[in-house]
Amino acid sequence: MPMSIARVQKARAQARPKLVLAAQTSRSARPPRKAPIPSTHVRDCWPIVQLAHIDIPIVTERLAGIRHKILILSGKGGVGKSTFTSQLAFALASDENSEVGVVDIDVCGPSIPKIMGCEQEQVHPSGGGWSPVYIMDNLCVMSIGFMLPSPDEAVIWRGPKKNGIIKQFLKDVDWGSDERPLDYLLFDTPPGTSDEHLSIVQFLRNSNISGAVIVTTPQEVSLQDVRKEIDFCRKARIPILGVVENMAGFVCPHCHSESKIFYPTTGGAKAMCEELGIPLLGSIPLDPQIGKACDFGQSFIDINPSSPATKAYLSIIENINSLLDSPKSQ
């Protein structure tokens, strides 16, 4: 037995130099290494930049007629960002002279079809590409949710596939016409600063993003992530239109007293906006009817015109439009 072990060890010792020599030979046969990737503000987004730069001119031309392109962002999930996007779209479309579109780029959690009452619809080809789903004559939606065989189907995709579907939503969808160009195109994004955010920023690089609306709730655990979102916008050079504080208190419909469900221990969105020099667009109180309207895909503002939340939504829209029309945003 000891002899056999010794022979094995001797064989390994004799083979090792040959293996090293083979490795050295294979290295010498390789082509020289490429120069290092140039330094950028966000090095991790380089692969997406490489994929996107060819399509940027096409996207820019496709979206050239749209007046305002607005990103709806949130640092934390569950703050009502998609709810806000849908109700903002309904409210903007209540003006018959406005053409409104919504792009759901929350690829792994597409809730816009459910919230906007078009869950059973499908995307159809048209002469100009894909035709978005029209909820009203002047309100259209595009989401990956229309392409899933079931609402319960999970989308388990890595960055490149997410990047690909977002590119198609921008490049291949018929967003209005020369006769009826969109006035507003709202982008409902996932929480945080991930692949989808990098993709949309790169594709819209030359399309003049009008600005971002950041949604939060009053408590500090949400605000600390919003600060990261604000930092992302500044590094990506996205104009920040302002912050919306959602679920800001609950007014009892019977006694009309207000309760702070999510207590603003650090002063809420107002204190944060004052600290960072960002406009507070408004605060929307909790209203059980908002959740009910979303479950049934309805416009909360149309159903509850006298609600304090409706007044808050209308005030926020007025503030957004005044910022969009100001010379600074042009």
Side-chain angles (χ1 to χ4, degrees):
M1 184 66 68
M3 290 295 293
S4 62
I5 293 176
R7 287 187 187 133
V8 170
Q9 291 176 341
K10 184 178 180 180
R12 287 178 178 171
Q14 290 175 344
R16 192 173 293 121
K18 295 179 182 177
L19 292 173
V20 173
L21 183 61
Q24 290 174 346
T25 304
S26 64
R27 285 197 191 99
S28 63
R30 292 175 187 171
R33 290 185 179 181
K34 295 181 180 179
I37 294 173
S39 173
T40 60
H41 286 293
V42 188
R43 284 182 66 100
D44 290 341
C45 73
W46 180 261
I48 294 178
V49 175
Q50 293 289 78
L51 291 170
H53 82 280
I54 298 174
D55 299 293
I56 289 174
I58 302 173
V59 171
T60 302
E61 183 180 357
R62 187 75 159 180
L63 306 182
I66 301 173
R67 282 184 63 203
H68 302 302
K69 307 166 191 74
I70 304 173
L71 305 182
I72 313 297
L73 307 173
S74 73
K76 180 73 71 179
V79 299
K81 171 187 49 58
S82 296
T83 297
F84 175 77
T85 302
S86 64
Q87 298 306 316
L88 176 63
F90 278 128
L92 291 171
S94 64
D95 179 1
E96 295 180 356
N97 295 319
S98 293
E99 299 289 331
V100 183
V102 178
V103 188
D104 184 1
I105 64 168
D106 191 347
V107 176
C108 294
S111 54
I112 287 294
K114 174 68 175 178
I115 293 176
M116 302 195 72
C118 50
E119 195 175 17
Q120 304 301 320
E121 299 293 333
Q122 293 182 337
V123 176
H124 300 285
S126 68
W130 289 349
S131 178
V133 172
Y134 275 84
I135 301 170
M136 301 161 53
D137 288 341
N138 62 338
L139 175 57
C140 59
V141 177
M142 176 55 75
S143 170
I144 194 174
F146 299 134
M147 306 173 188
L148 300 178
S150 163
D152 300 329
E153 187 85 12
V155 179
I156 309 172
W157 286 358
R158 293 186 185 273
K161 290 198 74 173
K162 293 179 180 180
N163 182 73
I165 193 67
I166 292 171
K167 177 178 71 176
Q168 286 187 279
F169 286 171
L170 300 176
K171 186 169 69 80
D172 299 334
V173 174
D174 187 9
W175 293 112
S177 60
D178 294 337
E179 295 77 23
R180 295 181 60 188
L182 290 184
D183 296 290
Y184 303 91
L185 186 57
L186 310 179
F187 294 86
D188 184 50
T189 65
T193 53
S194 56
D195 294 319
E196 292 90 335
H197 302 80
L198 292 173
S199 294
I200 198 67
V201 169
Q202 289 301 323
F203 283 126
L204 297 181
R205 187 171 63 188
N206 298 331
S207 296
N208 298 322
I209 299 175
S210 303
V213 175
I214 304 175
V215 182
T216 185
T217 46
Q219 75 274 33
E220 179 59 26
V221 72
S222 176
L223 296 174
Q224 67 180 3
D225 285 342
V226 167
R227 292 185 181 93
K228 297 181 180 72
E229 200 77 32
I230 292 169
D231 183 55
F232 167 78
C233 289
R234 287 172 171 169
K235 288 178 177 176
R237 299 190 179 100
I238 303 170
I240 301 174
L241 295 175
V243 173
V244 171
E245 187 177 57
N246 200 20
M247 309 182 201
F250 171 72
V251 179
C252 177
H254 302 292
C255 66
H256 303 291
S257 63
E258 183 175 354
S259 301
K260 298 293 184 183
I261 307 299
F262 300 105
Y263 195 79
T265 54
T266 57
K270 182 179 179 182
M272 183 195 69
C273 288
E274 290 174 355
E275 173 192 348
L276 299 177
I278 294 172
L280 176 64
L281 298 173
S283 297
I284 304 171
L286 275 167
D287 190 324
Q289 296 301 316
I290 295 178
K292 184 178 179 181
C294 290
D295 281 348
F296 287 99
Q298 299 170 330
S299 170
F300 167 79
I301 294 173
D302 291 342
I303 300 172
N304 303 276
S306 60
S307 168
T310 294
K311 296 175 183 177
Y313 269 110
L314 296 177
S315 174
I316 289 168
I317 291 172
E318 186 176 341
N319 291 335
I320 290 175
N321 279 327
S322 64
L323 288 168
L324 291 174
D325 294 336
S326 66
K328 187 177 179 181
S329 67
Q330 301 300 320

